[in-house]
């Protein structure tokens, strides 16, 4: 069942990407972030009420920093989705596992004691290098289509997601429930989106176009909750690594959506780069789990 929950989560998040892709033709990234946040806040308040979870926190500063990092990553991801093939934007965002592995290797090298032998980081380094080789292959077609800037923004969205994930790890260790963490992130997206809209202005309103907005927050919240359910079940019944790696099925769903709905054309070298990133990210997840077990779910 935990595998089904994770695949469902990946499907919901990829479906949210479809809504972003369609809505980005009519609304700015700041507006999309704002409306996603509004719907998510309402949804999470209702969800917390049903489960009897208090939303009061003793760590407002930690949640604020997590929101700043997460909103930056989310905005970059929405921009990438608007300007790149959907599968490409999804793949770049899902590189957060590779970035975390890179931080882990860097921290080991910087903080390791001279002369003290620890576990070999060679396989993890190879996975990281392979992933970035995949990025070069994936972004080569984007460069040919003058999408280099959007590709770099997509890459930064994965970096931001990695920072946000590490922040979530710290909050989780303080005993904060996932519902509360997701709620305050939604509040942060509302505030950040409103600030962005004060600069970019409001797009002309059309109810037909606005129909793409409610699913943003609903699908995002449902996807995150399904992911949390998958991880909680895997901790009780085993299979955490399998569940963690099944999140990459979202790239498959995004590729199918891109082909069927948007007619995305990705050259063979782009597909090969995508496959290399997925394989190396899975490898990095497995290798990282040995060094940092029992970590909370990654968010997308």
């Amino acid at each position: 069942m935990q595998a089904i929950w994770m695949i469902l989560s990946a499907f919901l998040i990829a479906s949210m990407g479809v809504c972003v892709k369609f809505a980005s033709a009519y609304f700015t990234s700041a507006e999309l972030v704002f409306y996603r946040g509004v719907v998510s806040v309402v949804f999470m308040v209702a969800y917390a009420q049903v489960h009897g979870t208090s939303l009061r926190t003793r760590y407002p500063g930690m949640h604020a920093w997590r929101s700043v990092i997460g909103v930056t990553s989310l905005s970059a991801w929405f921009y990438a989705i608007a300007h790149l093939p959907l599968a490409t934007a999804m793949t770049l965002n899902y590189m957060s596992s590779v970035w975390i592995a890179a931080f882990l290797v860097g921290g080991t090298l910087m903080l390791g004691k001279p002369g003290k032998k620890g576990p070999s980081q060679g396989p993890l380094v190879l996975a990281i290098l392979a992933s970035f080789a995949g990025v070069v292959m994936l972004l080569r077609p984007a460069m040919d289509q003058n999408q280099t800037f959007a590709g770099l923004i997509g890459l930064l969205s994965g970096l931001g997601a990695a920072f946000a994930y590490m922040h979530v790890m710290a909050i989780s260790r303080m005993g904060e429930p996932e519902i509360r963490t997701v709620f305050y992130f939604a509040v942060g997206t509302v505030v950040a989106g409103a600030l962005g809209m004060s600069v970019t202005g409001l797009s002309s309103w059309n109810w037909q176009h606005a129909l793409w907005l409610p699913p943003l927050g609903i699908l995002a919240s449902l996807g995150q909750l399904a992911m949390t359910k998958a991880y909680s079940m895997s901790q009780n019944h085993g299979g955490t690594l399998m569940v963690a790696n099944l999140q990459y099925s979202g790239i498959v769903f995004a590729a199918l959506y891109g082909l069927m709905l948007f007619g995305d054309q990705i050259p063979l070298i782009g597909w090969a780069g995508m496959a290399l990133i997925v394989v190396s990210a899975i490898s990095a997840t497995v290798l990282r789990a040995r060094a940092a077990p029992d970590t909370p779910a990654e968010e997308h």
Side-chain angles (χ1 to χ4, degrees):
M1 283 300 297
Q2 56 263 43
I4 294 175
W5 279 109
M6 179 54 81
I7 293 173
L8 175 62
S9 170
F11 173 74
L12 292 170
I13 292 173
S15 300
M16 183 200 72
V18 171
C19 297
V20 172
K21 190 81 170 175
F22 278 117
S24 62
Y26 314 109
F27 301 97
T28 65
S29 294
E31 289 174 299
L32 296 182
V33 168
F34 174 79
Y35 291 122
R36 178 206 184 279
V38 169
V39 176
S40 293
V41 166
V42 174
F43 185 91
M44 294 310 299
V45 167
Y47 189 83
Q49 289 287 335
V50 170
H51 287 78
T53 301
S54 172
L55 295 175
R56 183 173 297 178
T57 180
R58 294 180 297 168
Y59 311 105
M62 291 288 289
H63 285 289
W65 275 113
R66 184 264 182 271
S67 294
V68 169
I69 298 169
V71 168
T72 302
S73 172
L74 182 68
S75 302
W77 189 26
F78 281 6
Y79 181 90
I81 290 175
H83 296 87
L84 292 172
L86 183 59
T88 300
M90 290 284 290
T91 304
L92 293 173
N93 184 263
Y94 273 74
M95 274 195 64
S96 56
S97 291
V98 177
W99 285 112
I100 294 169
F103 298 152
L104 183 62
V105 171
T108 301
L109 293 176
M110 291 176 62
L111 301 177
K113 296 181 179 180
K116 182 179 180 180
K117 290 185 178 181
S120 174
Q121 300 291 342
L124 193 54
V125 171
L126 289 177
I128 295 168
L129 293 176
S131 182
F132 283 107
V135 170
V136 173
M137 296 166 65
L138 181 61
L139 293 184
R140 178 61 187 272
M143 294 176 185
D144 294 338
Q145 300 172 22
N146 297 320
Q147 297 174 331
T148 305
F149 180 74
L152 293 176
I153 293 296
L155 192 61
L156 289 175
S157 77
L159 176 62
F163 278 117
Y165 169 66
M166 291 189 295
H167 217 80
V168 169
M169 287 175 60
I171 294 175
S172 176
R173 291 193 182 103
M174 294 177 178
E176 288 284 80
E178 182 103 8
I179 294 176
R180 195 176 296 160
T181 302
V182 175
F183 168 75
Y184 281 106
F185 172 60
V187 172
T189 62
V190 172
V191 174
L195 291 174
M197 289 163 59
S198 68
V199 176
T200 62
L202 292 173
S203 303
S204 57
W205 189 265
N206 182 302
W207 284 107
Q208 291 180 327
H209 301 162
L211 290 176
W212 293 108
L213 298 176
L216 284 180
I218 294 173
L219 291 172
S221 298
L222 289 175
Q224 184 60 49
L225 291 173
M227 182 183 294
T228 303
K229 180 71 172 179
Y231 273 100
S232 63
M233 291 183 68
S234 68
Q235 288 173 357
N236 294 329
H237 304 289
T240 301
L241 281 178
M242 177 195 68
V243 168
N245 290 328
L246 280 175
Q247 67 179 312
Y248 296 103
S249 62
I251 296 173
V252 177
F253 290 125
L256 293 174
Y257 274 137
L259 292 171
M260 293 187 297
L261 299 179
F262 306 109
D264 290 341
Q265 298 295 323
I266 301 177
L268 184 59
I269 188 174
W271 288 110
M274 199 179 299
L276 183 57
I277 290 172
V278 171
V279 171
S280 57
I282 290 174
S283 301
T285 300
V286 173
L287 294 168
R288 195 187 80 222
R290 298 175 182 175
D294 302 323
T295 53
E298 290 183 48
E299 297 180 338
H300 295 280

